[in-house]
Amino acid sequence: MLSDGHNEGVNLYISFRLRRGQPEVKLMKSQRYQRGFKKLEEVNKKGIDDLIQLMDDLAPDLATYVIEFAYGDVYTRPGLDPRQRELCIISAITALGGKEQQLKDHIQAAVNVGCTKAEIVETLIMMAVYAGFPAAINAIKSAKEVLCV
Amino acid sequence: MLSDGHNEGVNLYISFRLRRGQPEVKLMKSQRYQRGFKKLEEVNKKGIDDLIQLMDDLAPDLATYVIEFAYGDVYTRPGLDPRQRELCIISAITALGGKEQQLKDHIQAAVNVGCTKAEIVETLIMMAVYAGFPAAINAIKSAKEVLCV
Amino acid sequence: MLSDGHNEGVNLYISFRLRRGQPEVKLMKSQRYQRGFKKLEEVNKKGIDDLIQLMDDLAPDLATYVIEFAYGDVYTRPGLDPRQRELCIISAITALGGKEQQLKDHIQAAVNVGCTKAEIVETLIMMAVYAGFPAAINAIKSAKEVLCV
Amino acid sequence: MLSDGHNEGVNLYISFRLRRGQPEVKLMKSQRYQRGFKKLEEVNKKGIDDLIQLMDDLAPDLATYVIEFAYGDVYTRPGLDPRQRELCIISAITALGGKEQQLKDHIQAAVNVGCTKAEIVETLIMMAVYAGFPAAINAIKSAKEVLCV
Amino acid sequence: MLSDGHNEGVNLYISFRLRRGQPEVKLMKSQRYQRGFKKLEEVNKKGIDDLIQLMDDLAPDLATYVIEFAYGDVYTRPGLDPRQRELCIISAITALGGKEQQLKDHIQAAVNVGCTKAEIVETLIMMAVYAGFPAAINAIKSAKEVLCV
Amino acid sequence: MLSDGHNEGVNLYISFRLRRGQPEVKLMKSQRYQRGFKKLEEVNKKGIDDLIQLMDDLAPDLATYVIEFAYGDVYTRPGLDPRQRELCIISAITALGGKEQQLKDHIQAAVNVGCTKAEIVETLIMMAVYAGFPAAINAIKSAKEVLCV
C-alpha cells in the first residue's frame, strides 16, 4: 500500500507498507523535495535559508512548495540551463515590479550559476524597452546592492 | 555645421552643411535607424512590416523609436545573444500579461533567431512559478498559434 | 426626517418627510447621480449608454457607482479641466494594460472634450517610456480604431 | 429645498431649508459617511485613524471617499459577510503587488472580523498559484508582521 | 526501491520494486495527480477538459502541474472551503487583469461549488474599490457571459 | 564622413571628418543627449544628478538612454506642454504601482514645471477610480514627502 497522503507537501514523508500489518516505511523527504533542495542549494544557498526561516513561523508549507514545485519540478527540468533560467526569471520579476527581495535573490543566483555581471546588467537595461524605464531603473538599483559590494 | 535637428527621430535625416551657403547633405536615415532596421529584419521581418503599417496612419514616430531605440540602441548591444534576448523578452511580456500580439511576435522572433520549440515552451512553463498559472497558460495558448501551425 | 437610506446608491432616491405623517417626498435621483450623469453625457454619451446596458442584467449598481462616484464625486471636482483629466486617464489605463474597451472609451471622451488627435497620440507615445513599448503600441492600436475611422 | 451640493463629499454636510427664508438645517455628516465610518470602526479602528491622519494635510477628500464610497457604499452592502470580504480583498491586494501597508491593514481587519490565522495564511498560500510565488512570499512576510507579534 | 524519478510530474507514474529483480509496480498516476484531478472534476469538469486539450500539443506538463500542484497540493488543502477559495481566486484574477478565460472558468467554478450569483457579483463590484473601475467593469462583462446565458 | 558609430549612446560622441585625412572632429555629446540633458535640467535638476550617480557604477548607458531617448527624443517633442506631460507621467506611475522613487521625482518635476499642488493632488485622487484606492492612497503618501516639507 502506497500512501503519499494529503500532507505529503507538509510532512515531507512518503510512507508505505509493503503489506498490511507490516511496519510502515517512511522516506523522510519526497524525492521532489530532495531534488529541489539540492538544486536550490546549488543555485542560492543563502536564499533557501532565508526562505525557510521567513516562512517557518507562519507558512512552512509555502517554503516546501517552493522547494518541491518551483525547484524540484520546474527548475530542474531539462531544456534550459540555469544561466538562461536566471536571466528569464530576472526579466519576469523586473517586469512584475515591486518585488525587490526576489529580484536581489535571483541576481545573486544568476551570479552563482555563472552569469556575468555584464549579462545581468544587459538583461535589466533591455527591460526599459519592454516594461518601461522606471522598472529598469529600480532593477539596476537592486542589482547594485548585490553586484557592487 | 552639423544638425541632427529636433526631428531626427521623426524625419530620419541627419543633414549637415559643410559651410553656410553650401548645399545641405542629407543622410536619409540615421545610423541608429539603419542598424535597428537591419537587426529587426534579421529577427522578425514580418513583425517590422506589421509594426510600420500599424503605426503609419497615426504614430509613425513610435515605429521609428522601436527601430532606433529598441533595436538600434538596445537589442544590438553586445553582451547577450539574440536567443538569450528573446527568451528574456518572452518572460517579461508573459509576466506583464495581456499583450498577446507582442508575445506572439517575440515567440516567432525566438524561432527565427534559433531558439528551439522546447526552449520556448520551457521558458513559458517556468513563468507559472513567477507570474502565476493563468499567465503561463495564456502564454502557451499564444505559443500554440505560432508554433503549432 | 431625512433618509438617504442604505440603498441611496442603489435606489437612486433621496426621500424625506417634512413631518412624520406627511407624505414622503422622493427625489428620483440623488444629486450626485444627476451631476455625474450630466457630466458623463457631456464627456461620452455613447459610453454611458453602453455601460448601463452592459451592467443592467447583472450589476446595475456598478453603473450607478460609476455615475455617482467616478463622475458625480470625482470627475466633476474643480482643479483639473476635462482635457487634462482625459489625458491622465488614458495614461493610467495604458499603463495598467489589457483594458482596451475603457481605453477606447476614454480616447473618444478625450476627443469629445476637445483634446486634439495630436495630444492624444503624444500622450500614448510617451507611455513607451514609462510603461514599455508593448503597452504604447497596443494603445496606438486602440487609438486607431477610434481616431482613424 | 434639498441641497447635497457639489461638496457633499468634502464638507460632509447635507443641508436643506424647508422653505426659502427659513433657517438652514445641516446634518453634520452624510449618512453614507456615517455608515462607512461605523463599519470601518468595526473592521479596523486603527486603520481609519491612520488613514485620516495620512490624508489630512494633503488630500482629506480621499479619506472621505474611502469612508463614504469604499465603506459606506460598497463594504456595507449585503451579500458577502466581512470575513469573506476581507479574504477577497487580501487576495486582490496580494495579486496587485507592492501595496504592503494596505495588505497589512486588511490582514489586521481580517483578524478583527473573525478570520482565523489559518484562513488568512491559506488564502495567501493559494495566491502562489494565481499571482506567482514572489507575490505569495511577500504577502506572507507582511502577514508575519501582523500575525506573529 | 521507491522511485518517483525526475519525471514524476511528466510521466505521472510512481514506480517501485519491492526487491531488486522483482517486477516493477507502476501506479499510473501519482496520488497528487489523482487527488487534484478528482477535485478539479468536482469544481469545473469542463475547464479540465479544455485545459488538457489546450496544453496537449505543446505543454502537457503544464496541465499536469495545474492538476498536481494547483489542485492536488493547494486547492485540496483544508482551511478554506471551495466557495471561499473561488471568491478569492476571482478577486485575484480580476485584480491581475487581462485574463478573461481564467476569470470565466473560475466564475463557472464558483457556481459549481455553490456560490450564488449575488455573491459572485458582490465580489466583482468590490474590486472597483481595490483594483479600479475598469477592472471591475471588465470582470462583470466576463461574468455576464457565464451567468446570463 | 559622418559616423555616429554603434556606441553613440555609450560614448556620447558624434565624430566626423570633413575629408579623409583631415583631423577628426568630435562633438562631445550627441545633440539628442544635449537636448535631453537641457530639458531634464529644467524639469528636475536634482533627479538627473541622482540618476547619473545611481547608474554610474553599473549601468551608465541606462542613464544615457534616459537622457537621450526619454528626454531628448520623447519629452521634448511638441504637442504637450511639460505640465500636461508630468500629470500624465504621474498618472501612469501611480497606476503601475510600487515605483515610489520615480513617483516622487515626477511629483517634484511637476512642481518645477509649474503644476500646482492642487492639480497634482487632484490627479492622484482621480487614480482611485482607475487604479483602485490602494494605488491612490500610496501615491498621496509619496506626494506628502515631496509637497509637505
Side-chain angles (χ1 to χ4, degrees):
Chain A
M1 243 181 341
L2 185 90
S3 146
D4 66 357
H6 189 177
N7 297 315
E8 183 208 25
V10 182
N11 295 329
L12 311 172
Y13 294 109
I14 296 181
S15 64
F16 60 96
R17 283 190 178 78
L18 297 189
R19 272 168 213 248
R20 194 174 178 80
Q22 288 198 348
E24 192 184 28
V25 180
K26 285 196 182 182
L27 299 178
M28 282 288 297
K29 307 268 183 189
S30 77
Q31 294 204 10
R32 295 169 63 234
Y33 187 94
Q34 290 176 46
R35 188 171 58 226
F37 194 92
K38 186 160 161 290
K39 176 54 73 181
L40 190 41
E41 264 189 320
E42 284 166 37
V43 166
N44 191 1
K45 193 169 168 28
K46 192 179 168 325
I48 197 175
D49 295 342
D50 293 350
L51 173 73
I52 289 175
Q53 198 179 339
L54 178 64
M55 295 295 117
D56 205 30
D57 305 359
L58 201 58
D61 296 0
L62 188 57
T64 300
Y65 294 144
V66 170
I67 295 166
E68 286 188 341
F69 174 65
Y71 285 84
D73 283 349
V74 178
Y75 198 106
T76 47
R77 292 169 60 93
L80 284 178
D81 68 50
R83 288 172 58 257
Q84 286 174 304
R85 287 195 184 275
E86 289 300 338
L87 296 180
C88 288
I89 294 168
I90 286 170
S91 299
I93 295 178
T94 299
L96 291 169
K99 290 166 174 57
E100 285 77 14
Q101 188 56 54
Q102 283 82 18
L103 184 55
K104 288 190 283 183
D105 287 351
H106 282 283
I107 289 169
Q108 185 59 64
V111 172
N112 296 349
V113 300
C115 293
T116 65
K117 199 163 149 172
E119 285 172 322
I120 295 167
V121 171
E122 207 54 45
T123 301
L124 298 180
I125 288 175
M126 190 169 64
M127 289 302 109
V129 174
Y130 299 96
F133 278 84
I137 291 168
N138 285 339
I140 291 290
K141 202 171 168 181
S142 293
K144 277 185 73 170
E145 296 179 35
V146 179
L147 300 175
C148 304
V149 224
Chain B
M1 241 182 345
L2 185 91
S3 145
D4 66 359
H6 188 175
N7 296 316
E8 182 208 24
V10 182
N11 295 330
L12 311 172
Y13 292 111
I14 295 181
S15 63
F16 60 99
R17 283 192 178 76
L18 296 189
R19 273 167 213 247
R20 196 174 176 82
Q22 289 199 345
E24 191 183 29
V25 180
K26 284 197 183 180
L27 299 179
M28 282 289 296
K29 306 267 181 190
S30 76
Q31 294 204 10
R32 296 168 64 234
Y33 187 93
Q34 291 176 46
R35 187 170 61 226
F37 193 92
K38 186 161 161 289
K39 176 54 72 180
L40 190 42
E41 263 190 320
E42 285 165 37
V43 165
N44 191 2
K45 193 169 167 30
K46 191 179 170 323
I48 198 173
D49 295 341
D50 293 350
L51 174 73
I52 289 175
Q53 198 178 341
L54 178 64
M55 295 296 117
D56 205 31
D57 306 359
L58 200 58
D61 296 359
L62 188 56
T64 300
Y65 294 144
V66 170
I67 294 166
E68 287 188 339
F69 175 65
Y71 286 85
D73 284 347
V74 178
Y75 198 106
T76 46
R77 292 168 61 93
L80 285 177
D81 68 50
R83 288 173 57 257
Q84 290 174 306
R85 287 195 184 275
E86 289 299 340
L87 297 180
C88 288
I89 294 168
I90 286 170
S91 300
I93 295 178
T94 300
L96 290 169
K99 289 165 174 59
E100 284 75 15
Q101 188 55 55
Q102 284 81 17
L103 184 55
K104 287 190 284 184
D105 286 350
H106 282 284
I107 289 169
Q108 185 59 62
V111 172
N112 297 349
V113 299
C115 293
T116 65
K117 198 163 151 174
E119 284 172 323
I120 295 167
V121 170
E122 207 54 46
T123 300
L124 298 179
I125 288 176
M126 191 169 65
M127 289 302 110
V129 174
Y130 299 96
F133 277 84
I137 290 168
N138 286 339
I140 291 290
K141 203 171 167 180
S142 294
K144 277 185 73 170
E145 296 178 36
V146 179
L147 301 175
C148 304
V149 226
Chain C
M1 242 182 341
L2 185 92
S3 146
D4 67 357
H6 189 175
N7 297 316
E8 182 209 25
V10 181
N11 296 329
L12 311 172
Y13 293 111
I14 295 181
S15 64
F16 60 98
R17 283 191 179 78
L18 296 190
R19 274 169 212 243
R20 195 177 177 80
Q22 288 199 347
E24 192 183 28
V25 180
K26 285 197 181 180
L27 300 180
M28 283 290 295
K29 308 268 183 191
S30 77
Q31 294 205 9
R32 296 169 64 234
Y33 188 93
Q34 291 177 44
R35 187 170 60 225
F37 194 93
K38 185 161 162 290
K39 177 55 72 180
L40 190 41
E41 264 190 320
E42 285 165 37
V43 165
N44 191 1
K45 193 168 168 32
K46 192 180 168 323
I48 197 173
D49 294 341
D50 293 350
L51 173 74
I52 289 174
Q53 198 177 341
L54 178 64
M55 295 295 118
D56 205 31
D57 305 359
L58 200 58
D61 296 359
L62 188 57
T64 301
Y65 294 144
V66 171
I67 294 165
E68 285 188 340
F69 175 65
Y71 286 85
D73 284 348
V74 178
Y75 198 107
T76 47
R77 291 169 62 92
L80 286 177
D81 68 50
R83 289 173 55 258
Q84 290 174 305
R85 287 196 183 274
E86 289 300 339
L87 296 180
C88 287
I89 294 168
I90 286 170
S91 300
I93 295 178
T94 299
L96 291 168
K99 289 167 174 56
E100 284 76 14
Q101 188 55 55
Q102 283 82 18
L103 184 55
K104 287 191 283 183
D105 287 350
H106 282 284
I107 288 169
Q108 185 59 63
V111 172
N112 296 349
V113 300
C115 293
T116 65
K117 199 163 149 174
E119 284 173 322
I120 295 166
V121 170
E122 208 52 47
T123 301
L124 298 180
I125 287 176
M126 190 169 64
M127 288 302 109
V129 175
Y130 299 96
F133 278 84
I137 290 168
N138 285 339
I140 291 290
K141 202 171 168 180
S142 294
K144 276 184 73 169
E145 296 179 35
V146 179
L147 300 175
C148 304
V149 225
Chain D
M1 240 181 342
L2 185 90
S3 145
D4 68 357
H6 189 177
N7 297 316
E8 183 207 25
V10 182
N11 295 329
L12 311 171
Y13 293 110
I14 294 181
S15 64
F16 60 97
R17 283 193 178 76
L18 297 190
R19 273 169 213 246
R20 195 174 176 82
Q22 289 198 347
E24 193 183 24
V25 179
K26 283 197 182 181
L27 300 179
M28 283 287 297
K29 307 268 181 189
S30 77
Q31 294 206 10
R32 294 169 64 234
Y33 188 93
Q34 290 177 45
R35 188 171 58 227
F37 194 92
K38 185 161 161 291
K39 176 55 72 181
L40 191 41
E41 263 191 319
E42 285 166 36
V43 164
N44 191 1
K45 193 169 169 29
K46 191 177 169 325
I48 197 175
D49 295 341
D50 292 350
L51 173 73
I52 290 174
Q53 198 179 341
L54 178 64
M55 295 296 117
D56 206 30
D57 305 359
L58 201 57
D61 296 359
L62 187 56
T64 300
Y65 294 145
V66 171
I67 294 166
E68 285 188 341
F69 174 65
Y71 286 85
D73 284 348
V74 178
Y75 198 105
T76 47
R77 291 169 62 93
L80 283 178
D81 68 50
R83 289 171 56 255
Q84 287 175 303
R85 286 196 184 275
E86 289 300 339
L87 296 180
C88 288
I89 294 167
I90 286 170
S91 299
I93 296 177
T94 299
L96 291 169
K99 290 165 175 58
E100 285 76 15
Q101 187 55 53
Q102 284 81 17
L103 184 55
K104 287 191 283 184
D105 287 351
H106 281 284
I107 289 169
Q108 185 59 62
V111 172
N112 295 350
V113 300
C115 294
T116 65
K117 199 163 150 174
E119 285 173 322
I120 295 166
V121 170
E122 210 48 58
T123 301
L124 298 180
I125 288 175
M126 191 169 65
M127 288 303 108
V129 174
Y130 298 96
F133 278 85
I137 290 168
N138 284 340
I140 291 290
K141 203 170 167 180
S142 293
K144 276 184 74 170
E145 295 179 35
V146 179
L147 300 175
C148 304
V149 224
Chain E
M1 242 182 344
L2 185 90
S3 145
D4 67 358
H6 189 174
N7 297 315
E8 183 208 24
V10 182
N11 295 330
L12 311 173
Y13 293 111
I14 295 181
S15 64
F16 60 97
R17 283 192 179 77
L18 296 190
R19 273 166 213 248
R20 196 175 177 83
Q22 289 199 346
E24 193 184 27
V25 180
K26 283 198 182 179
L27 299 179
M28 283 289 296
K29 307 270 182 188
S30 77
Q31 294 206 9
R32 295 168 65 233
Y33 188 93
Q34 291 177 46
R35 188 170 58 225
F37 194 92
K38 186 161 161 288
K39 175 55 72 180
L40 191 40
E41 265 191 318
E42 285 166 36
V43 165
N44 191 2
K45 192 168 169 30
K46 191 177 168 326
I48 198 174
D49 295 341
D50 293 350
L51 173 73
I52 289 175
Q53 198 178 341
L54 178 64
M55 296 295 118
D56 205 30
D57 305 359
L58 201 57
D61 296 359
L62 188 56
T64 301
Y65 294 144
V66 170
I67 294 166
E68 285 188 342
F69 175 64
Y71 286 85
D73 284 348
V74 177
Y75 198 107
T76 47
R77 291 169 61 93
L80 285 178
D81 68 51
R83 290 173 54 257
Q84 289 174 307
R85 287 195 184 275
E86 289 299 341
L87 296 180
C88 288
I89 293 167
I90 286 170
S91 300
I93 295 177
T94 299
L96 290 169
K99 291 167 173 57
E100 285 75 14
Q101 188 55 55
Q102 283 81 17
L103 184 55
K104 287 191 282 184
D105 287 351
H106 282 284
I107 288 169
Q108 185 58 63
V111 172
N112 296 349
V113 299
C115 293
T116 65
K117 199 164 151 172
E119 284 173 323
I120 294 166
V121 171
E122 207 53 46
T123 300
L124 298 180
I125 288 175
M126 191 168 64
M127 288 303 108
V129 174
Y130 299 96
F133 277 85
I137 290 168
N138 285 340
I140 291 290
K141 203 170 168 180
S142 294
K144 276 185 74 170
E145 296 179 35
V146 179
L147 300 175
C148 304
V149 226
Chain F
M1 242 181 341
L2 185 90
S3 146
D4 66 358
H6 188 176
N7 297 316
E8 183 209 24
V10 182
N11 295 329
L12 312 172
Y13 293 110
I14 294 180
S15 64
F16 61 96
R17 285 191 177 77
L18 296 189
R19 273 168 211 246
R20 196 173 176 82
Q22 288 200 347
E24 192 183 28
V25 180
K26 284 198 181 180
L27 300 179
M28 282 288 297
K29 309 267 182 190
S30 77
Q31 294 205 10
R32 294 169 65 234
Y33 187 94
Q34 291 175 47
R35 187 170 59 226
F37 193 93
K38 185 161 161 289
K39 176 53 73 180
L40 190 42
E41 263 190 319
E42 285 166 36
V43 165
N44 191 1
K45 193 169 168 27
K46 192 179 168 324
I48 198 173
D49 295 341
D50 292 351
L51 173 72
I52 290 175
Q53 197 178 340
L54 178 64
M55 296 295 117
D56 205 30
D57 305 359
L58 200 57
D61 295 0
L62 187 57
T64 301
Y65 295 144
V66 171
I67 293 166
E68 287 188 340
F69 174 66
Y71 286 86
D73 284 348
V74 179
Y75 198 107
T76 47
R77 291 169 62 92
L80 284 178
D81 68 50
R83 289 173 56 258
Q84 287 175 303
R85 287 197 184 275
E86 289 299 339
L87 296 180
C88 288
I89 294 168
I90 286 171
S91 299
I93 296 178
T94 299
L96 291 169
K99 290 166 174 58
E100 285 76 13
Q101 187 56 53
Q102 283 82 18
L103 184 56
K104 287 190 284 183
D105 287 351
H106 281 285
I107 289 170
Q108 184 60 61
V111 172
N112 296 350
V113 300
C115 293
T116 65
K117 198 163 151 175
E119 284 173 322
I120 296 167
V121 170
E122 211 47 60
T123 301
L124 298 180
I125 288 176
M126 192 169 64
M127 289 302 110
V129 174
Y130 299 96
F133 277 84
I137 290 168
N138 285 339
I140 291 290
K141 202 170 167 179
S142 293
K144 277 184 75 171
E145 295 179 36
V146 179
L147 301 175
C148 304
V149 223

